[in-house]
Amino acid sequence: MKKYVIKRLLLLIPIVLGITFLSFGMMRLAGSDVVLQQAEGSGAALSQEAMEARREELGLNRPFLVQYADWLKGFLTGDLGVSYVSGKDVFSELVSKLPATLLLAALSAALTVAVAVPLGILAAIRQNRVTDYLIRGCSFIGNSLPNFFTALLLMYFLSIRFSVFPVISDGVSLRSAAMPAFTLAIAMASKYVRQVRAAVLDELGRDYVEGALSRGIPFSVVLRKNVLRSCLSAILTLLALSVGSLLGGTAIVESIFMWDGVGKMAVDAISMRDYPVIQAYVVWMAVIYVIVNLAADLSYRILDPRIRMGGER
Amino acid sequence: MDSGGREVTVRRQKIKKNRVKVRLIIFLILAAALLAAAVWAEALCPYDPYAQDMSAALQPPGPAHLLGTDRYGRDMLSRVLIGARSSIFSALLLAGITGMLGTAAGVACGYFGGAADMVIMRISDICLAFPSLVFAMGIAAVLNGGMKGAVIALAAVGWPKYARLARSQTLTVKNSDYIAAARLSGSSALQIIFLHILPNTGGPILVTAALDIGTMMMELAGLSFLGLGAQPPAAEWGSMMSGGRSMLQTSPWVVLSPGLAIFVSVALFNLLGDAFRDWMDPKGPGGHG
Amino acid sequence: MRKKTGILLLALCCLTAALSGCGGQKENEGQNGAEETAVKEFVMGDTTFNAENGEADINPHHDSGGWPCIRYGVGETLFRFSDEMELEPWLAESYETVDELTWVITLRDDVYFTSGRHMDGEAVKECLEHLTENHVRAAGNLSMGEITAEGQQVTIRTETPVPALMNYLADPYGCIIDMEAGVTEDGIVTGTGPYQAVALETDTRLELVKNPEYWNGEPKIDKITVRTISDGDTLTMALQGGEIDAAYGMPYASYPLFENEDYTFSSCATSRVFFGAMNFESPVTSDPAVRQAIAMGIDKESFVKTLLDGNGYPAVGVFPDSFTFGGSAVSTETYDPEGAKQLLEEAGWTDTDGDGIREKDGQPLTLRWLTYPSRQELPLLAEAAQATLGEIGFDVSIQNTADHNTIRTDSGAWDIYVSAFVTAPTGDPEYFFAYCCLDGSYQNVGHYHSDRLEELAGQLAAEFDPARRGELAVEMQQTVLDDNAYVFCSHLRMSMIARAGVTGLTAHPCDYYEITVDLDIQ
């Protein structure tokens, strides 16, 4: 068990190496750099010499591989560098954005589960009846609204028409997190309702269910004791995947609601070509990816001891 | 479910199977109609979708313009029709690319195993963990923006899902008796893959791809929202929506028309995917990676 | 399993309760606020106050930090601009020039920093020295040599003649701050303005409190919060929902929502111009007839009227009407599609294959229009021009990309580069020409060259008389326009929208002054 966990954690090394190198390369390909972006943003032109001096200072005029090696060296000694834009330490900047991201991720995942699981089960046991069609209809609507649009609609109805929640977030609080969490949960729950429904239907179609029913065990008991338990792993996978993507930040939703999380930080850093911040973000993504997958695998095992550790997924 | 009687159940299943078939055919026809509308959009457009007429800007829906006009005075109905082409075809193309790439990689991994498997799976880890936004920015810059860049970026982060699925399917099939028999009878690896493995793994992958088309349309729309997708004056639903979103309160038709188009086609593709899955395999979907 | 369902339901209930409980809290807060009417609060939403714009903090010596410093009433400069963009004293009383290189500035005697320190010559000297050491652009503009301070007098010697030195000192980077109090880790500085910054979170918020000792009257608001809201629609809804009292950077499409008695607008023309620079190395735009046809083929009036909803002014030259040397002081082509067609026909650009696009010697009349999306007006302009130029026989292909900075340096990749530029941030005309039009200009990416313009620029650089500088500016603009090297489409009309009841929030042509001592709220 311990060995397995260690082996999985070791995966981090190639992933972090690959992902940081790739992002380094992508951002260089993207052209422009922080000096140009800032010169343009300030609306006032800088002289060529001034820009070159700034590049020299940031080390941007060195060969690509040297810059990467340099970054890697810093990374290995625990130094993620300093943001080109704000001049602050990148690591502490990332850490300062985490509470907001964690809260939003937890809240929207909780909302998603709370909505998707009961509705998915309901749709499955009422298959092809009005309830089922209604639930699936809603899930189609939720699924085909781009989230920036859901966000606008929610803002319009919840904030302006009925003033339940504020439009702009005011620090990291549950109340401020409500609107972005709803926006995210609507899209996710719509997707998961269908998958939960499919998973439950899949189980209901199995022989043992029919067997249990014919032995006179009430349907509700079979549903609770057997079907739900088997579906739990499907639900867990879904949840693990979405928590992973939520922890990576949700660029669009965060910037619409001025939610000061990791996603917004990443978009800003990308548009400013603030390489140290982008690199830190990418490392964070790699860490989440490995941990979330590991957690999902471990929980399968706990739920379903038939799966061998280290077995094929 | 709660009533007994084996015969009744069997008959029910037969009826159900027939229903599924009918459903599948209906959705296939509808999807074909949608595709046809996209292909022959030009002939269906009442106006030139790119012709501006500033004096007729932001007209609400009416007899002259069924879905109103945008702020350049362009007919929304025509733009939505023309937009179908880039929106739907990009999503189909994307599903096609990711599906094929992923399947190829996954089957290769599953069948050959060994070092190649290791390397490809590690690459897929990296791609899965890699933020698509960074990818999109980089590729958009190299290709000077446009839908092409958005499609490539999403394909780059989307293929591992299929690779995982195809790999696990291949592993299951690979150890079955008929593969062993085929191998004994001297079939080459390629023959086995094309004649035995692909036909037996294709189903779940096709279902996943069909269900993915809707999601892909949304993701393309999201990239367009961030300015990384379609370029003006191209009519593409996502960018039409994001371009007009500040008019939600003042001229809602500018946002709602493309929004409705996205909704209808995403729903249609999802329903088609559902029906397809039910028809292929009534027991439900294969494992999602 | 029943237990688990129970837990789930419980969690759901808790969540709902927590969320709605918080909702209740708001009402309570509202009541508390109503009871304490003594404290006047004001919330401003701004789309531009962010690190992307170089405004990570309010330190005028760092990037564009001077803009928020001066806009939100923290810092003030030695001189300021009147509504006609003429220089007038602010922290300084007067200045005189001893010779081309030496300036003597006399400061007001009644000004104190919010730290309590008296603003004297020594404080100004420290501030300016720190500025030129830390701010590359300022150092380049000011060309500062030795500074000496004596009582309320500061003597500045420049290394080269800088006729516009006093204008440059009125740039936001010239905010006078107390260097003894220094710059905090968050980038907060101590100025002389009506409000004092107490807390700053980059890209999020700035908290200000009133400076009761302000030298020029008593500020009327007790507490001001400036919120960074990057998304235009969020800004719209925040103002609609009453979460902010005033907004800067509202999308034009939202204006109709506020054109009623519940809100007030304050607008004015700024020197931010949307203009196209022709590429003189391109086989298409190097032809003078083509450039003239482009100038005649852009319908500036319709663009401003329909697409900007009237939130702009059709431009003639570099500077808007509010400048003595701007607006109709110069002349250029007007929208004339028929004339443009004829012109192209005469110059040999004809549509031989009947596809609606003209050709000459096998070269199709394709115009690669390079622009970028971060200014909402630019893509609109591109699409509008695409249609009107298309009628004349151009094939306009738009390249609207955030990566325009690298593309524009490759003169083989574009024909016209359309951008937004603040042409006279310090009210002085020299800046625009020096940065955009001359042989040595960094921004002259289209490689435009005019002997006449070079000569006039030489005269301008050595001219100290403001009136004569204005005349030269007119001549220079006319030279550029006669060559159709640039086509100026529209000047930005900057607007601030506030809730009815907000007074003293006035848009200024230089866009520097927002929150002043006059700001009040009912």
Side-chain angles (χ1 to χ4, degrees), chain A residues 7-305:
Chain A
K7 195 180 133 203
R8 288 295 298 264
L9 286 180
L10 281 179
L11 251 186
L12 253 180
I13 297 171
I15 294 185
V16 165
L17 279 179
I19 202 172
T20 52
F21 187 76
L22 198 58
S23 78
F24 228 76
M26 290 310 288
M27 291 324 287
R28 295 313 187 275
L29 273 184
S32 187
D33 62 22
V34 68
V35 181
L36 265 176
Q37 295 298 120
Q38 279 186 326
E40 182 213 327
S42 63
L46 278 175
S47 70
Q48 188 73 50
E49 299 84 58
M51 303 221 299
E52 278 311 319
R54 177 94 176 109
R55 286 199 182 98
E56 183 87 35
E57 187 192 326
L58 295 174
L60 288 174
N61 45 6
R62 294 172 304 160
F64 164 68
L65 281 175
V66 175
Q67 287 185 54
Y68 180 70
D70 204 47
W71 177 85
L72 200 61
K73 208 162 73 194
F75 175 66
L76 291 176
T77 53
D79 176 17
L80 282 172
V82 179
S83 161
Y84 292 165
V85 175
S86 69
K88 288 179 191 153
D89 181 56
V90 169
F91 183 71
S92 55
E93 195 140 314
L94 179 69
V95 168
S96 73
K97 307 280 184 199
L98 286 185
T101 295
L102 291 177
L103 175 67
L104 185 57
L107 192 61
S108 35
L111 275 171
T112 303
V113 171
V115 172
V117 173
L119 287 186
I121 296 170
L122 192 65
I125 55 183
R126 298 252 181 258
Q127 192 190 4
N128 294 337
R129 290 195 223 167
V130 181
T131 329
D132 181 27
Y133 287 125
L134 210 66
I135 292 174
R136 283 165 71 196
C138 289
S139 101
F140 279 132
I141 296 179
N143 217 352
S144 50
L145 290 176
N147 55 8
F148 60 84
F149 192 65
T150 316
L152 284 185
L153 288 178
L154 279 178
M155 265 191 208
Y156 184 67
F157 287 107
L158 291 185
S159 297
I160 295 183
R161 280 273 160 268
F162 303 110
S163 25
V164 190
F165 297 109
V167 174
I168 40 176
S169 72
D170 198 15
V172 181
S173 72
L174 263 187
R175 203 172 112 73
S176 300
M179 295 267 282
F182 280 141
T183 308
L184 292 170
I186 285 179
M188 289 196 310
S190 307
K191 199 156 123 201
Y192 296 159
V193 160
R194 289 173 41 212
Q195 308 209 354
V196 171
R197 175 181 174 273
V200 173
L201 277 182
D202 189 22
E203 280 304 306
L204 285 178
R206 285 181 200 267
D207 293 340
Y208 79 87
V209 174
E210 207 163 313
L213 288 178
S214 63
R215 283 203 311 277
I217 301 173
F219 180 67
S220 56
V221 175
V222 178
L223 184 69
R224 271 206 315 269
K225 293 236 176 220
N226 306 85
V227 176
L228 280 191
R229 160 145 289 200
S230 331
C231 294
L232 213 59
S233 72
I235 295 166
L236 260 174
T237 324
L238 290 178
L239 205 63
L241 283 175
S242 32
V243 167
S245 64
L246 284 173
L247 289 177
T250 43
I252 294 174
V253 172
E254 282 183 11
S255 56
I256 287 181
F257 290 101
M258 295 312 296
W259 184 256
D260 200 13
V262 178
K264 190 164 152 297
M265 178 193 82
V267 176
D268 291 347
I270 291 170
S271 60
M272 287 306 290
R273 308 283 193 270
D274 190 352
Y275 302 140
V277 178
I278 299 173
Q279 290 302 97
Y281 171 67
V282 169
V283 170
W284 166 243
M285 293 299 286
V287 171
I288 301 170
Y289 174 76
V290 170
I291 292 181
V292 161
N293 274 308
L294 179 61
D297 283 0
L298 289 179
S299 57
Y300 291 148
R301 175 175 160 96
I302 295 162
L303 284 171
D304 188 352

Side-chain angles (χ1 to χ4, degrees), chain C residues 158-399:
Chain C
T158 59
E159 280 167 355
T160 52
V162 185
L165 185 69
M166 293 303 115
N167 293 63
Y168 284 131
L169 286 177
D171 187 287
Y173 62 58
C175 281
I176 302 300
I177 55 171
D178 179 6
M179 290 322 301
E180 272 176 16
V183 183
T184 68
E185 202 175 308
D186 291 334
I188 291 178
V189 295
T190 307
T192 57
Y195 292 94
Q196 181 184 359
V198 286
L200 170 71
E201 253 181 274
T202 300
D203 287 353
T204 308
R205 65 168 69 234
L206 170 69
E207 303 278 356
L208 304 161
V209 295
K210 110 173 161 185
N211 170 12
E213 309 293 324
Y214 185 54
W215 59 275
N216 196 14
E218 195 186 335
K220 299 168 185 77
I221 311 278
D222 298 286
K223 189 169 173 275
I224 296 180
T225 307
V226 180
R227 293 295 315 258
T228 304
I229 302 176
S230 324
D231 188 83
D233 296 311
T234 312
L235 187 76
T236 304
M237 302 222 197
L239 184 60
Q240 279 184 302
E243 287 171 51
I244 55 175
D245 299 300
Y248 176 94
M250 189 68 76
Y252 299 138
S254 300
Y255 280 20
L257 297 169
F258 301 106
E259 283 160 355
N260 54 53
E261 66 272 22
D262 296 334
Y263 300 94
T264 57
F265 279 68
S266 174
S267 317
C268 72
T270 69
S271 72
R272 193 184 291 275
V273 73
F274 303 104
F275 76 112
M278 309 283 182
N279 185 352
F280 280 76
E281 315 235 312
S282 141
V284 176
T285 38
S286 54
D287 182 342
V290 171
R291 293 200 302 273
Q292 197 181 344
I294 295 173
M296 293 162 88
I298 295 176
D299 188 357
K300 302 173 187 175
E301 300 278 344
S302 298
F303 167 66
V304 168
K305 200 167 131 247
T306 319
L307 291 176
L308 302 188
D309 289 320
N311 292 294
Y313 304 88
V316 185
V318 183
F319 307 103
D321 247 338
S322 50
F323 289 71
T324 47
F325 44 82
S328 46
V330 289
S331 64
T332 183
E333 311 296 338
T334 48
Y335 181 52
D336 179 9
E338 291 311 314
K341 280 182 199 163
Q342 201 187 335
L343 190 70
L344 288 171
E345 207 70 38
E346 282 162 12
W349 293 92
T350 46
D351 182 11
T352 43
D353 52 9
D355 62 352
I357 297 158
R358 295 172 188 273
E359 301 87 21
K360 184 181 180 179
D361 309 330
Q363 165 76 43
L365 191 52
T366 302
L367 191 66
R368 288 164 300 169
W369 183 290
L370 179 64
T371 192
Y372 52 94
S374 62
R375 280 249 150 217
Q376 55 171 337
E377 299 85 354
L378 291 174
L380 295 177
L381 178 59
E383 283 200 63
Q386 188 175 42
T388 55
L389 289 173
E391 271 166 33
I392 298 169
F394 280 92
D395 170 25
V396 181
S397 76
I398 298 174
Q399 210 174 337

